Amino acid sequence: MATADLLTASHTLELAAPLPLDGGQDLAGVQVAYETVGTLNADKSNAVLVFHALTMDQHIVSPHPKTGKPGWWARSVGPGNVIDTDRFFVICANVLGSCMGSTGPASLASDGQPYAMRFPVITIRDMVRAQVALLDALGIDQLHAVVGGSMGGMQALSFAANWPQRTRAALVIASTARHSAQNIAFHEVGRQAIMADPKWNGGDYYGALSNGGKGPENGLAVARMAAHITYLSEEGMHEKFGRKLQDRPDGTKGAKTFGFDADFQIESYLRHQGLSFTDRFDANSYLYITRAMDYFDLAEEHGGKLAQAFAGSNARFCLVSFDTDWLYPTAESRTIAHALNASGAAVSFVELSAPFGHDSFLLDVPALDRVIKGFLG
Amino acid sequence: MATADLLTASHTLELAAPLPLDGGQDLAGVQVAYETVGTLNADKSNAVLVFHALTMDQHIVSPHPKTGKPGWWARSVGPGNVIDTDRFFVICANVLGSCMGSTGPASLASDGQPYAMRFPVITIRDMVRAQVALLDALGIDQLHAVVGGSMGGMQALSFAANWPQRTRAALVIASTARHSAQNIAFHEVGRQAIMADPKWNGGDYYGALSNGGKGPENGLAVARMAAHITYLSEEGMHEKFGRKLQDRPDGTKGAKTFGFDADFQIESYLRHQGLSFTDRFDANSYLYITRAMDYFDLAEEHGGKLAQAFAGSNARFCLVSFDTDWLYPTAESRTIAHALNASGAAVSFVELSAPFGHDSFLLDVPALDRVIKGFLG
């Protein structure tokens, strides 16, 4: 990874102008934290903008500063890799509303205090708008491609629909053009879990944190646990965990304890997922980003017709779904493909078989690698 | 309902002997609250024992004492009804561990204080054992049938497997012979939500409640919300709610508020489900009963072979699943049917089409009515 590291750089841009938001406000002093990998060519034609998912960030290749884990897409982005940074200049920006350097509810407002719940509710299009401003600042008129999985796919769709001249291609993986009632329901459970935590305190917990106290970690962990179930397939969970019992730290073989410890491995796994998440993520950001996803409805933005959303685009599209993804099942991608067909766009659509459910877009799925490589050309 | 009311009676039995539990303890002073509908005939051959699901109770026909709502199966049980109380004597007992009159964590232990988390972890078989003791007390040697949906179905299976001579028939609706990793995962989210609530206080909140204070209502509401999603089908949720917005109490038409109110009807619905649940259910009971369900593995109890579980039974079996039930999907019932076939039992199995997901077993599904009526004879 030495070569990749040399080509990887972290930046933060403060937008020169206030960012107009779908909610009607103009947000001043917006910071956009982003990572670039590779080299922008002379005519600035080789840039690929990768949008991250709900709980990820700009650290697409570089290790996460809090966990030390490899960048979330280090397996796919790099020299000679599926997204080949010997050829492409890859940009990944922390989304507006998040907590890894871009402006969000934990950022300081003009009064010097964290926004907390004074932060405006944002949309997926607002997130994209901030990244278009980043492209403007970088002097990149047109991207080689936009790429994104899950919420990243929503941003890719929003980008292609609302800034159709700014990209020649859009790759949308395991995503949807609008959140279903069930999607909203799971997010609402997570939000209520956070808000039910007394340490959430109406969103004002940053003071407690800076004094060594705690925020709504318990609520956030429960939110993460509920969401995590939706990221895995029932089959994958059965294969990996089934009803296997957890061995004890003292070496005791797994057994039913007739108590409320994590007897089953799946319980232990979920608890770990919940707890480790709270070390790296801000609870208010979780509220705002899930809200943006729930509000997302690309057709609604365009007169109720999804095909209309893509009317101005000449981009090539590629849609990928996974057969075991029940969060954004194949039918969601098919709906987008039909709309793109109706709008006369160049679109390819493939459902891949992979056992990992929604998380497949982040994992070792060779067929996905081939699709990405083939589509980016 | 006047006739039904005359034939409906509430009782509480205190078991004469301590109840031996799968966890190894003997539980003294167990109370079993139960409702009967209809008249037991002279040779005591017309009794039907109906087992209730996780959050229900003995009020199968009579109005719920806290909510005033009709009994949970009043639509199916009554004179001339699908389970015809002109012919059958229907018994429904609150399960051990619950909170509607049968002994559970809110009951007083021998020291005069509520058990709280001192209550022993129980199993589905323990719940059934308490109800077998009830049959003994009523002098009923053999039932016409046992009937149950969801967790009630688990009890029906456990009854038929472990007390094979005590029933001539078993009707198991929308159930499973063991909890899957995904089932356990959803329950674990609910338990963690309750335990994360500071008002849970290690289970010791009954004192606060009796002083007009609060228990872990917020955590319990979140648990209920998460579980409720699994009771509905994605399609049903889409049909009923989709992305419809909630009208405001002041009459304002639904609109995105760019805030965290319940903008979407599905949010409002879930919040209501969560809140109303806390008025009628004890959080510790929720912990204990979900644990019992997670521990349930009928094959494991019988040498790892499900067919072996039914080796001693001459009962007729009927299994019903619903095509939109993703909590206990048809494959779970099919597994039971195969085991019953392997054990040489008389078994019929039908997958019904209904849009309501897991909750179909409680709702207006005429095909289910016909199956129940036909099977009970």
Side-chain angles (χ1 to χ4, degrees):
Chain A
M1 298 299 288
T3 317
D5 287 340
L6 286 174
L7 290 168
T8 304
S10 283
H11 317 263
T12 302
L13 171 75
E14 177 157 337
L15 301 188
L19 189 73
L21 301 179
D22 281 343
Q25 290 190 40
D26 293 312
L27 191 63
V30 168
Q31 308 241 340
V32 180
Y34 64 101
E35 176 163 306
T36 61
V37 196
T39 308
L40 188 62
N41 62 10
D43 62 358
K44 301 188 173 184
S45 65
N46 71 332
V48 172
L49 180 59
V50 178
F51 300 105
H52 70 73
L54 166 53
T55 69
M56 286 151 211
D57 46 55
Q58 71 272 32
H59 299 284
I60 186 170
V61 164
S62 65
H64 193 282
K66 293 184 182 170
T67 67
K69 288 187 182 171
W72 61 268
W73 224 11
R75 66 173 292 281
S76 299
V77 177
N81 219 325
V82 171
I83 301 181
D84 186 356
T85 53
D86 287 340
R87 298 176 51 218
F88 298 121
F89 177 65
V90 173
I91 308 163
C92 185
N94 191 215
V95 298
L96 186 71
S98 186
C99 51
M100 291 298 289
S102 291
T103 300
S107 304
L108 300 184
S110 56
D111 62 0
Q113 297 298 314
Y115 282 101
M117 300 308 285
R118 300 178 299 162
F119 195 72
V121 165
I122 53 162
T123 65
I124 295 290
R125 183 160 56 182
D126 292 333
M127 294 177 186
V128 176
R129 199 173 274 124
Q131 293 173 80
V132 170
L134 168 62
L135 297 181
D136 290 345
L138 295 174
I140 298 170
D141 287 334
Q142 192 178 54
L143 295 162
H144 179 71
V146 290
V147 177
S150 194
M151 187 183 84
M154 297 178 189
Q155 292 170 76
L157 288 168
S158 179
F159 187 101
N162 294 300
W163 291 270
Q165 307 310 318
R166 299 296 293 262
T167 189
R168 294 190 293 278
L171 173 55
V172 178
I173 308 167
S175 193
T176 181
R178 60 116 182 75
H179 245 203
S180 71
Q182 194 182 69
N183 296 151
I184 297 170
F186 276 113
H187 274 175
E188 175 66 2
V189 168
R191 286 191 294 264
Q192 291 297 316
I194 291 168
M195 292 175 161
D197 188 330
K199 292 202 163 60
W200 179 63
N201 189 32
D204 290 328
Y205 53 80
Y206 299 110
L209 286 181
S210 62
N211 291 324
K214 291 202 167 196
E217 294 171 16
N218 291 339
L220 182 60
V222 170
R224 176 65 168 177
M225 288 173 69
H228 203 82
I229 299 174
T230 70
Y231 302 154
L232 308 180
S233 69
E234 199 280 332
E235 305 89 315
M237 224 186 247
H238 176 71
E239 285 293 316
K240 190 168 177 183
F241 302 105
R243 294 180 51 82
K244 279 182 276 195
L245 295 161
Q246 182 73 7
D247 292 338
R248 300 289 148 194
D250 66 3
T252 317
K253 289 295 285 180
K256 289 181 183 170
T257 61
F258 287 88
F260 290 92
D261 285 344
D263 282 358
F264 294 101
Q265 290 182 13
I266 181 66
E267 294 177 298
S268 173
Y269 172 80
L270 276 184
R271 289 186 191 184
H272 172 74
Q273 292 295 328
L275 288 174
S276 61
F277 184 57
T278 64
D279 292 338
R280 68 175 179 88
F281 213 80
D282 178 54
N284 283 342
S285 283
Y286 197 83
L287 298 180
Y288 278 89
I289 299 177
T290 56
R291 197 52 160 168
M293 294 173 78
D294 291 349
Y295 271 9
F296 185 60
D297 186 341
L298 193 56
E300 186 193 61
E301 286 177 12
H302 294 85
K305 289 224 171 74
L306 190 54
Q308 191 60 35
F310 304 112
S313 175
N314 291 315
R316 296 182 300 125
F317 286 82
C318 179
L319 306 168
V320 181
S321 69
F322 297 99
D323 58 353
T324 57
D325 182 354
W326 61 278
L327 187 65
Y328 303 133
T330 290
E332 302 290 349
S333 289
R334 191 178 291 120
T335 298
I336 303 167
H338 288 171
L340 285 163
N341 282 330
S343 76
V347 54
S348 64
F349 165 40
V350 61
E351 179 192 63
L352 300 179
S353 189
F356 314 114
H358 183 63
D359 265 357
S360 299
F361 81 98
L362 292 169
L363 299 173
D364 184 13
V365 179
L368 176 62
D369 294 345
R370 288 192 294 273
V371 171
I372 296 173
K373 208 175 171 80
F375 182 72
L376 291 184
Chain B
M1 299 297 290
T3 317
D5 287 341
L6 286 175
L7 291 169
T8 304
S10 283
H11 317 263
T12 302
L13 171 75
E14 178 158 336
L15 301 188
L19 189 72
L21 301 178
D22 282 343
Q25 290 189 40
D26 294 313
L27 191 63
V30 169
Q31 308 242 340
V32 180
Y34 64 101
E35 176 163 306
T36 60
V37 196
T39 307
L40 187 62
N41 61 10
D43 63 358
K44 301 188 172 184
S45 64
N46 71 331
V48 172
L49 179 59
V50 178
F51 299 106
H52 70 73
L54 167 53
T55 70
M56 288 153 210
D57 47 55
Q58 70 272 32
H59 298 284
I60 186 170
V61 165
S62 66
H64 192 282
K66 293 184 182 169
T67 67
K69 289 188 181 169
W72 61 268
W73 224 11
R75 65 173 293 281
S76 299
V77 177
N81 219 325
V82 171
I83 301 181
D84 185 356
T85 52
D86 287 339
R87 299 175 51 218
F88 298 121
F89 177 66
V90 173
I91 308 163
C92 185
N94 190 215
V95 298
L96 186 70
S98 187
C99 50
M100 291 298 289
S102 292
T103 300
S107 304
L108 301 184
S110 56
D111 63 0
Q113 298 298 314
Y115 282 103
M117 300 308 284
R118 300 179 299 163
F119 195 72
V121 166
I122 52 161
T123 65
I124 295 291
R125 184 161 54 182
D126 292 334
M127 294 176 185
V128 176
R129 200 173 275 124
Q131 293 172 81
V132 170
L134 168 62
L135 297 182
D136 290 345
L138 295 176
I140 298 170
D141 288 333
Q142 193 178 53
L143 295 162
H144 179 72
V146 290
V147 176
S150 196
M151 186 182 83
M154 297 179 188
Q155 292 170 77
L157 289 168
S158 178
F159 187 101
N162 293 299
W163 291 271
Q165 307 310 316
R166 301 293 294 261
T167 189
R168 294 189 294 278
L171 173 56
V172 177
I173 307 167
S175 193
T176 181
R178 61 118 181 76
H179 245 204
S180 72
Q182 194 182 68
N183 295 150
I184 297 170
F186 276 113
H187 274 175
E188 175 65 2
V189 168
R191 286 191 293 264
Q192 291 297 317
I194 291 168
M195 291 175 162
D197 189 329
K199 292 203 164 58
W200 179 63
N201 188 33
D204 289 329
Y205 53 80
Y206 299 110
L209 285 181
S210 62
N211 292 324
K214 290 203 167 194
E217 293 171 16
N218 292 338
L220 182 60
V222 169
R224 176 65 169 178
M225 288 173 68
H228 203 83
I229 298 174
T230 70
Y231 302 154
L232 308 180
S233 70
E234 200 280 332
E235 304 90 314
M237 224 186 245
H238 176 71
E239 285 294 317
K240 190 168 177 182
F241 301 106
R243 295 180 51 81
K244 279 181 276 194
L245 295 161
Q246 182 73 6
D247 292 337
R248 301 287 149 196
D250 65 3
T252 316
K253 287 296 285 180
K256 289 180 183 171
T257 61
F258 286 87
F260 290 92
D261 284 345
D263 283 357
F264 295 101
Q265 290 182 14
I266 181 66
E267 295 177 299
S268 174
Y269 173 79
L270 275 184
R271 289 185 191 185
H272 173 74
Q273 291 296 329
L275 288 175
S276 61
F277 184 57
T278 64
D279 292 337
R280 68 175 179 89
F281 213 80
D282 177 55
N284 284 341
S285 282
Y286 197 82
L287 299 179
Y288 278 89
I289 299 177
T290 56
R291 197 53 161 167
M293 294 173 79
D294 291 349
Y295 271 10
F296 186 60
D297 186 342
L298 192 57
E300 186 193 62
E301 286 176 11
H302 294 87
K305 290 224 171 72
L306 190 55
Q308 191 60 34
F310 304 112
S313 176
N314 291 314
R316 295 182 301 125
F317 286 82
C318 178
L319 306 168
V320 181
S321 70
F322 297 99
D323 57 353
T324 58
D325 182 353
W326 60 279
L327 188 64
Y328 303 133
T330 290
E332 302 291 349
S333 289
R334 192 177 291 121
T335 298
I336 303 167
H338 288 171
L340 285 163
N341 282 329
S343 75
V347 55
S348 64
F349 165 40
V350 61
E351 180 191 62
L352 300 179
S353 190
F356 313 115
H358 182 64
D359 266 356
S360 299
F361 81 97
L362 291 169
L363 299 173
D364 185 14
V365 179
L368 176 63
D369 294 346
R370 289 192 292 273
V371 170
I372 296 172
K373 209 175 170 81
F375 181 72
L376 291 184

